[in-house]
Amino acid sequence: MDALISQLQRQFRDYTISLYQQDFLDDQFTELKKLQDDGSPDFVAEVLSLFFEDCVKLISNMARALDQTTGAVDFNTVGASVHQLKGSSSSVGAKRVKALCVSFKDFCEAQNFQGCVRCLQQVDIEYKTLKTKLQDLFNLEKQIIQAGGIVPQVDIN
Amino acid sequence: MSEVRDIEQIKPTKTKKILNVLIVDDDAINRRLHARIINLIGGVSQTAENGEEAVILHRDGNASFDLILMDKEMPETDGASATKKLREMKVTSMIIGVTTLADNEEKRAAFMEAGLNHCLAKPLSKENLLPLINHLLDA
């Protein structure tokens, strides 16, 4: 059992580090984890849940605003939604999503329709990818705990 | 026991008194984050989704918050307008404005002029909020 726990802990450590090295996450995610303790054991999951709900809602708003079949493109609405998504991705440490929002905002301000459409597609892919990767990370945590181990603190620096 | 007290004085982990805090932010994630930070540093909190809600909470004169964390950019009534209205209503709570790193010195100064006690840029953390609150409590 000890061998299994050690293996899982190693996997968890390596996977966490890879998420930071591949820029899926940044320091703000580390700060988020510091706010979780025995008194609030699901805090990170709760906040991430809010973030992914935000992504769904805001991406839907942007898609509607970029729909040319309904009339002129509403770049103001797109810009407002991008601004919100940039804020919430920054708050949870979703580094790639936040970076995309920066480019997206520039395309909105330039009223570049093709650029906006491309960014929207990329943002959709990125948040879904992040969601899958974080789910994998939380599953590893669960396996460690179920095996009787402790989830290791991972030093990113 | 006195060793623990000495350590607390060197690096406090709680505010000098239990604070009743109003968190004003249109972003649900930030409301959750800031509420958690306040909880960890020894406070209790209530939230409002924009400046107008914060003003309405104070209208009947019964609201009594030690501290208001006021986001700058909000729909309906933004942080500066809400702060100005609260000060006109003689609200004496400490008000800390919450800005973004993108806000330049001019924008921060304009927000301060509305009646803030101080400004902090997001993201907030225990490390940046706690010393500021204790400093303002001392003042």
Side-chain angles (χ1 to χ4, degrees), chain A residues 28 31-32 35 37 40 43 46-47 50-51 54 88 91-92, chain B residues 27-30 32-33 36-37 40 73 123-127:
Chain A
Q28 181 57 21
E31 292 302 313
L32 208 66
L35 298 177
D37 60 18
S40 194
F43 176 73
E46 279 173 31
V47 172
L50 287 173
F51 171 64
D54 244 11
S88 52
S91 295
V92 303
Chain B
D27 184 86
I29 294 171
N30 284 335
R32 185 72 186 89
L33 271 175
R36 179 65 182 144
I37 292 171
L40 285 173
E73 301 287 343
L124 298 188
S125 66
K126 285 190 300 177
E127 286 73 26

Side-chain angles (χ1 to χ4, degrees), chain A:
Chain A
M1 190 59 106
D2 281 347
L4 173 63
I5 292 171
S6 295
Q7 188 194 344
L8 287 169
Q9 287 172 331
R10 223 173 11 252
Q11 266 180 272
F12 176 83
R13 213 176 267 121
D14 292 345
Y15 195 59
T16 304
I17 290 171
S18 75
L19 290 178
Y20 283 84
Q21 285 177 340
Q22 292 167 35
D23 287 343
F24 284 102
L25 300 172
D26 65 23
D27 285 345
Q28 181 57 21
F29 186 76
T30 312
E31 292 302 313
L32 208 66
K33 294 213 79 175
K34 284 185 195 170
L35 298 177
Q36 179 162 294
D37 60 18
D38 291 342
S40 194
D42 299 319
F43 176 73
V44 175
E46 279 173 31
V47 172
L48 288 172
S49 182
L50 287 173
F51 171 64
F52 292 124
E53 279 171 23
D54 244 11
C55 288
V56 169
K57 182 189 82 179
L58 292 171
I59 288 170
S60 171
N61 288 351
M62 292 180 223
R64 250 195 323 274
L66 284 170
D67 184 357
Q68 291 183 307
T69 62
T70 56
V73 171
D74 183 356
F75 285 105
N76 285 336
T77 298
V78 181
S81 296
V82 172
H83 179 76
Q84 279 187 59
L85 186 58
K86 181 170 169 250
S88 52
S89 58
S90 180
S91 295
V92 303
K95 191 173 179 182
R96 284 194 188 185
V97 176
K98 180 183 157 190
L100 271 172
C101 288
V102 173
S103 314
F104 202 159
K105 192 164 173 241
D106 289 341
F107 282 124
C108 280
E109 283 169 4
Q111 302 206 351
N112 181 328
F113 175 74
Q114 292 299 340
C116 284
V117 168
R118 261 196 318 272
C119 280
L120 181 63
Q121 289 165 348
Q122 285 173 317
V123 158
D124 191 54
I125 291 168
E126 278 303 336
Y127 101 81
K128 285 172 179 166
T129 305
L130 177 63
K131 191 174 179 184
T132 304
K133 289 193 177 286
L134 287 174
Q135 196 55 61
D136 290 344
L137 189 69
F138 292 146
N139 285 343
L140 269 172
E141 275 189 2
K142 232 192 276 187
Q143 285 176 59
I144 292 169
I145 293 165
Q146 280 168 356
I150 295 171
V151 178
Q153 299 276 17
V154 181
D155 184 6
I156 302 306
N157 299 311

Side-chain angles (χ1 to χ4, degrees), chain B residues 114-133:
Chain B
L116 300 177
N117 293 91
H118 206 84
C119 243
L120 269 182
K122 281 185 269 204
L124 298 188
S125 66
K126 285 190 300 177
E127 286 73 26
N128 64 19
L129 193 53
L130 179 60
L132 173 60
I133 291 173

Side-chain angles (χ1 to χ4, degrees), chain B residues 22-51:
Chain B
L22 176 64
I23 295 163
V24 189
D25 201 309
D26 60 320
D27 184 86
I29 294 171
N30 284 335
R31 289 197 299 273
R32 185 72 186 89
L33 271 175
H34 298 165
R36 179 65 182 144
I37 292 171
I38 293 298
N39 176 247
L40 285 173
I41 62 175
V44 292
S45 64
Q46 201 174 319
T47 61
E49 290 185 21
N50 57 56

